[in-house]
Amino acid sequence: MATDGNQKVLKLVWGVHNAPKDAPDKVVRQCESEAQALAVAIAAGHHKLAYVAASVGVSVAYLSRLQNGKRPIPEKLVGPLCSATGSNLLRQYLDLQRAIEGVSEVDRLARLLREAA
């Protein structure tokens, strides 16, 4: 098929070919924020911000704000970011934070139940 030369090659996200890998639990526990988890995943994969931003479909400036904690990471970008970086560190960190929050809620309700008895 002949083309006029205006077509560009579409690069596929790295994670399309290889599923993102889980990070060691020790690394997940040491992350202090979702922004740090994203920054570590990008750095560990030796990725450029431009590559990750293009893979996810956001601007480099916006990705930089996510990585620096100036913007919260939307839930809809967690999967694509994990695929683009090849690491599930961000998802694992968020899951850990939700689990920790759930434990504190259980403790709070248990305390209320004890106090009511």
Side-chain angles (χ1 to χ4, degrees), residues 10-30:
L10 178 63
K11 295 182 180 178
L12 296 176
V13 175
W14 182 83
V16 170
H17 300 291
N18 299 312
K21 297 189 181 349
D22 286 345
D25 291 338
K26 182 177 181 179
V27 175
V28 177
R29 288 191 305 267
Q30 290 184 25

Side-chain angles (χ1 to χ4, degrees), residues 27-68:
V27 175
V28 177
R29 288 191 305 267
Q30 290 184 25
C31 287
E32 297 176 358
S33 67
E34 63 183 20
Q36 186 182 41
L38 176 59
V40 169
I42 292 171
H46 302 289
H47 299 294
K48 303 263 186 214
L49 282 184
Y51 167 77
V52 177
S55 297
V56 175
V58 299
S59 70
V60 174
Y62 181 68
L63 181 61
S64 178
R65 286 192 287 275
L66 295 178
Q67 178 180 303
N68 292 321

Side-chain angles (χ1 to χ4, degrees), residues 14-15 18-22 41 47 81-88:
W14 182 83
N18 299 312
K21 297 189 181 349
D22 286 345
H47 299 294
L81 286 168
C82 289
S83 293
T85 61
S87 171
N88 276 326

